[in-house]
C-alpha cells in the first residue's frame, strides 16, 4: 500500500510533467467501491477493492489538485452518488466494481462534458437518446 505522502507527491509530479506538454488537463476522480464489496482491513485502507479506498484517494488527490486550479475536474464520484437511489441502486450492492452498459453512459457523458469544457468549446453533447440500449447496440452490428 502506498502512503499518502507518496501518492500525493507522485500525483503532483505527474501533473507538473503533463503541464509541460502544453495540454489542457482534466483530473477525473475515482468512482466509489460498491457496498457489496468486502469491508476490508481498516488498518490497510489502500489494499484491494475495499469500501472507502477510492474516497480516501479522492481526498488525497483533491488536496493536490487544489494546488493546480487550472486543471479541470471531472467528478465521476458524484455522478454515481447522485444516482444511488436510481440508475446505480443495484450497482451499489454488487461485489464487482464494473459498470453495466447503461450505467456507463452517464459516466462517459460526464468525461466528455468535462473535456469539452476544459477545451473551451461550445459543442453540446448529443442527447441521451443517441445511446440506445445494450440490446439495440448489439443488434446493429
Amino acid at each position: 500500500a502506498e502512503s499518502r505522502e507518496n501518492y500525493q507527491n507522485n500525483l503532483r509530479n505527474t501533473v507538473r510533467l503533463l503541464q509541460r506538454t502544453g495540454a489542457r488537463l482534466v483530473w477525473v476522480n475515482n468512482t466509489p467501491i460498491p457496498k457489496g464489496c468486502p469491508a476490508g482491513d481498516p488498518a490497510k485502507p489502500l489494499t484491494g477493492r475495499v469500501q472507502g479506498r477510492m474516497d480516501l484517494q479522492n481526498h488525497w488527490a483533491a488536496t493536490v489538485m487544489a494546488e493546480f486550479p487550472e486543471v479541470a475536474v471531472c467528478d465521476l464520484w458524484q455522478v454515481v452518488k447522485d444516482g444511488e437511489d436510481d440508475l446505480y441502486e443495484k450497482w451499489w450492492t454488487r461485489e464487482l466494481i464494473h459498470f453495466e452498459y447503461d450505467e456507463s453512459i452517464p459516466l462517459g457523458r460526464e468525461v466528455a462534458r468535462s473535456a469539452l469544457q476544459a477545451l473551451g468549446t461550445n459543442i453540446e453533447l448529443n442527447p441521451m437518446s443517441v445511446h440506445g440500449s445494450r440490446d439495440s447496440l448489439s443488434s446493429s452490428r
Side-chain angles (χ1 to χ4, degrees):
E2 192 170 20
S3 72
R4 182 181 82 173
E5 184 178 342
N6 284 343
Y7 181 89
Q8 289 179 320
N9 284 335
N10 287 339
L11 179 58
R12 192 175 287 113
N13 291 336
T14 300
V15 171
R16 288 181 182 137
L17 180 68
L18 291 170
Q19 284 180 324
R20 283 183 264 183
T21 69
R24 294 191 185 162
L25 303 179
V26 178
W27 169 55
V28 180
N29 67 7
N30 293 303
T31 57
I33 299 287
K35 296 172 185 171
C37 286
D41 182 350
K44 299 177 183 177
L46 293 181
T47 304
R49 294 178 178 161
V50 297
Q51 296 168 29
R53 176 180 177 187
M54 296 299 105
D55 192 30
L56 180 63
Q57 285 184 326
N58 283 341
H59 286 294
W60 290 356
T63 300
V64 172
M65 298 315 294
E67 300 170 19
F68 302 96
E70 66 279 9
V71 176
V73 176
C74 177
D75 192 355
L76 294 187
W77 178 280
Q78 197 62 51
V79 171
V80 175
K81 184 66 177 159
D82 288 347
E84 186 171 13
D85 296 327
D86 188 26
L87 178 63
Y88 298 104
E89 184 175 15
K90 289 181 183 177
W91 178 87
W92 276 100
T93 61
R94 289 191 204 133
E95 292 182 25
L96 299 174
I97 62 171
H98 306 290
F99 295 95
E100 298 291 334
Y101 174 77
D102 290 341
E103 297 163 343
S104 70
I105 293 169
L107 298 171
R109 290 177 64 83
E110 181 60 17
V111 171
R113 187 201 62 75
S114 299
L116 290 170
Q117 185 177 16
L119 292 171
T121 67
N122 293 334
I123 298 172
E124 295 209 17
L125 294 176
N126 286 326
M128 283 290 292
S129 60
V130 301
H131 299 289
S133 68
R134 169 177 246 156
D135 295 335
S136 66
L137 179 69
S138 60
S139 65
S140 66
R141 291 184 180 167

